[in-house]
Amino acid sequence: MNNLLTQDGFTYGFDAAVCSQCEGNCCIGESGYIWINPEEIKKLSVLLNITVEELKLKYLNKVNYKFSIKEKKLSKDNFACAFFDLNLKQCSIYEARPSQCRTFPFWDYFKNNEKEVYEECPAIKTIS
């Protein structure tokens, strides 16, 4: 388990080696918000070689004063991030993914809902 990433305050770790064996559970599922801040928007527009305005129009939803990445509807209650490559089963903007994606699975939400993260992510391992 030399690939096990840990973070203070969490009773589990993340085995990065298992990530490649997953079908993208963290990028596919129920509809939700994939928050992206102004700095991340600029970085992503550079990666995609489009203007910030083009990025906002094509790939983002404005939610009050913030932005969220659009989702693709796969079936009735199943969605995928607009940037998740369904064929390769990987993120197509990995280098410029938002901090929400970079910090998964170490979200405060999972501190009180640990069972959910184990169900969602096969790379989650209990720290002994």
Side-chain angles (χ1 to χ4, degrees):
M1 278 207 229
N2 56 352
N3 288 324
L4 195 66
L5 303 172
T6 60
Q7 189 167 315
D8 287 344
F10 292 86
T11 60
Y12 57 83
F14 176 79
D15 185 350
V18 178
C19 197
S20 63
Q21 300 167 21
C22 180
E23 295 286 310
N25 293 354
C26 57
C27 304
I28 295 175
E30 294 176 7
S31 182
Y33 295 114
I34 309 161
W35 300 117
I36 184 167
N37 69 39
E39 184 180 307
E40 294 164 341
I41 290 171
K42 186 167 178 11
K43 186 176 179 182
L44 183 54
S45 74
V46 170
L47 178 76
L48 297 175
N49 197 27
I50 59 177
T51 67
V52 167
E53 287 309 310
E54 287 174 301
L55 176 68
K56 287 178 179 178
L57 284 171
K58 189 170 182 182
Y59 296 107
L60 306 180
N61 288 319
K62 189 165 186 180
V63 182
N64 296 320
Y65 61 92
K66 300 192 306 186
F67 286 93
S68 176
I69 295 174
K70 289 182 180 180
E71 297 172 301
K72 302 178 263 194
K73 187 171 185 170
L74 305 177
S75 62
K76 185 176 182 266
D77 292 317
N78 199 24
F79 296 81
C81 172
F83 295 109
F84 185 71
D85 186 315
L86 292 164
N87 295 319
L88 297 175
K89 303 291 186 204
Q90 65 187 25
C91 179
S92 66
I93 59 161
Y94 191 81
E95 312 81 52
R97 70 196 188 283
S99 60
Q100 178 176 333
C101 304
R102 289 179 189 278
T103 58
F104 179 86
F106 300 108
W107 296 345
D108 285 342
Y109 172 81
F110 289 131
K111 286 181 179 178
N112 297 318
N113 299 280
E114 200 170 288
K115 184 180 177 208
E116 282 185 48
V117 77
Y118 277 96
E119 290 171 356
E120 182 172 329
C121 182
I124 302 301
K125 307 293 179 199
T126 302
I127 301 172
S128 44

